[in-house]
């Protein structure tokens, strides 16, 4: 037969259990706010450095002439395409982005091919025109200016401007349109080469 425990012993046991339980640490709000402010300052610094790098690159490319504008009478459209403009680079160097004259700004784009060239209309960004005499061809690719897409998901138009050869990347809303553009621009390049040989 078990004898009941003494009331004083029960109190001592309860006191021991209470001593083992620790209260939760109080949040140190000053330290937490300090970390958040520090993180925001680092993000602001990185953004500022990126912006300065962009401006510096534009300064280095200051020798690039102003972009041609579409003629008043561009001619009958042969092909048109709606999609995105992903940027321009030095031809053959898909990471050497060109930012001068707004060529570095990604945007929506409407392309129209006529006998006189390719008109690039960009809502919210600077429009430009690639004269037919400056077209050097087109190809399907997967990346330009740091943007990587599926294999063949990018239409890259190569053209001459000033003393530079430029690759400009476009992606149609309907990727099935890309091969027709490659073929049409190859024909334009052949016509240009034949005229130059005369």
């Amino acid at each position: 037969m078990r004898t009941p425990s003494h009331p004083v012993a029960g109190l001592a046991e309860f006191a021991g259990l209470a001593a083992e339980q620790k209260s939760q640490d109080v949040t140190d709000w000053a330290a937490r706010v300090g970390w958040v402010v520090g993180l925001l300052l680092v993000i602001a610094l990185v953004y500022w450095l990126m912006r300065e790098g962009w401006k510096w690159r534009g300064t280095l490319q200051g020798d690039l002439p102003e972009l041609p504008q579409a003629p008043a009478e561009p001619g009958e459209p042969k092909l048109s395409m709606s999609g995105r403009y992903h940027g321009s680079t030095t031809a053959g160097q898909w990471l050497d982005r060109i930012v001068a004259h707004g060529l570095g700004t990604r945007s929506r784009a409407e392309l129209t091919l006529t006998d006189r060239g390719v008109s690039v209309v960009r809502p919210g960004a600077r429009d430009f025109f690639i004269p037919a005499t400056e077209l050097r061809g087109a190809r399907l690719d997967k990346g330009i200016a740091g943007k990587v897409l599926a294999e063949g998901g990018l239409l890259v138009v190569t053209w001459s401007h000033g003393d530079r050869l430029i690759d400009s990347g476009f992606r149609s809303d309907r990727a099935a349109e890309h091969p027709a553009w490659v073929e049409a621009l190859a024909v334009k390049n052949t016509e240009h080469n034949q005229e130059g040989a005369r």
Side-chain angles (χ1 to χ4, degrees):
M1 183 173 175
R2 188 178 169 190
T3 57
S5 61
H6 195 275
V8 175
L11 286 175
E13 188 179 331
F14 177 74
L17 287 173
E20 287 178 10
Q21 294 178 352
K22 295 182 179 178
S23 63
Q24 188 172 352
D25 293 335
V26 177
T27 303
D28 185 357
W29 286 105
R32 187 169 287 188
V33 169
W35 275 105
V36 170
V37 169
L39 181 62
L40 290 175
L41 287 174
V42 168
I43 291 171
L45 176 64
V46 169
Y47 176 77
W48 180 80
L49 288 172
M50 288 172 60
R51 189 166 178 262
E52 289 302 305
W54 189 272
K55 286 163 62 176
W56 176 71
R57 182 176 279 270
T59 301
L60 289 179
Q61 297 167 352
D63 61 333
L64 192 70
E66 282 292 325
L67 298 174
Q69 296 302 309
E73 295 294 329
E76 189 69 27
K78 294 190 167 187
L79 278 176
S80 63
M81 179 176 89
S82 296
R84 291 200 65 80
Y85 168 76
H86 286 290
S88 293
T89 63
T90 302
Q93 300 178 30
W94 76 286
L95 289 176
D96 186 19
R97 183 191 293 268
I98 295 175
V99 301
H101 308 305
L103 285 176
T105 306
R106 290 182 177 149
S107 62
R108 290 286 304 164
E110 300 282 336
L111 273 69
T112 306
L113 174 66
T114 68
D115 284 331
R116 302 194 60 182
V118 177
S119 173
V120 183
V121 177
R122 301 191 298 156
R126 201 168 184 185
D127 301 342
F128 62 96
F129 181 74
I130 305 172
T133 55
E134 305 303 323
L135 287 167
R136 298 294 179 263
R139 68 181 186 278
L140 297 182
D141 212 326
K142 64 177 181 179
I144 193 165
K147 180 70 174 180
V148 179
L149 300 165
E151 188 68 46
L154 197 65
L155 170 68
V156 177
V157 178
T158 304
W159 54 293
S160 176
H161 183 55
D163 60 353
R164 290 185 192 234
L165 205 55
I166 297 173
D167 281 343
S168 293
F170 304 91
R171 179 172 174 79
S172 173
D173 291 335
R174 294 175 295 280
E177 296 177 336
H178 290 170
W181 278 83
V182 172
E183 186 179 338
L185 293 176
V187 169
K188 281 285 177 197
N189 189 37
T190 303
E191 289 172 358
H192 168 73
N193 291 337
Q194 288 172 349
E195 287 175 9
R198 287 176 192 161

